[in-house]
Amino acid sequence: IICLGAGTLTIPYIYYSLGFVFGTFAILFGACISIYSGYLLAYCAHMTQGTCFEEIAEMSFGPGMQKFTSFCMILCNLGFTISYIVLVS
C-alpha cells in the first residue's frame, strides 16, 4: 500500500521532470527493477521458508542482517509516515 501511494504521487512528477519519452523509459525501467526484486524476494522466501523480511535476512545473511533489516524497515515506515503528514498538512 505504501509503494502504491508513493508511486501515485511520483508518476506525474516523473513526466513533469523528464517529459513523455524519457519519463516513460524511467517508469518502465523502474518497473523492470521492481519485478526483478520481487522475483528475488519470492525466490529467497521459498528457499529459506521465511515469512517476513527479517526471517529471510537472518537465514540468508545471519542475525546481524536481521537487525539491520528491522532497523531499515522502521526508518522506511517512519519516512513514509512523515512524508504523508507533510503532504496532508
Side-chain angles (χ1 to χ4, degrees):
I1 293 172
I2 291 171
C3 292
L4 290 175
T8 303
L9 297 174
T10 304
I11 287 174
Y13 183 72
I14 289 173
Y15 280 116
Y16 176 76
S17 297
L18 300 177
F20 184 73
V21 174
F22 291 121
T24 301
F25 176 74
I27 290 171
L28 290 175
F29 181 70
C32 290
I33 292 173
S34 180
I35 289 168
Y36 183 66
S37 64
Y39 167 76
L40 287 178
L41 183 61
Y43 180 77
C44 288
H46 175 72
M47 295 303 284
T48 62
Q49 299 299 314
T51 58
C52 64
F53 290 117
E54 290 83 2
E55 287 180 5
I56 296 168
E58 180 182 19
M59 292 179 203
S60 298
F61 301 107
M65 192 55 78
Q66 178 192 17
K67 291 176 184 160
F68 179 72
T69 303
S70 295
F71 179 72
C72 288
M73 292 294 287
I74 290 169
L75 285 181
C76 180
N77 289 328
L78 182 65
F80 282 124
T81 302
I82 291 171
S83 67
Y84 282 125
I85 289 172
V86 169
L87 179 69
V88 171
S89 297

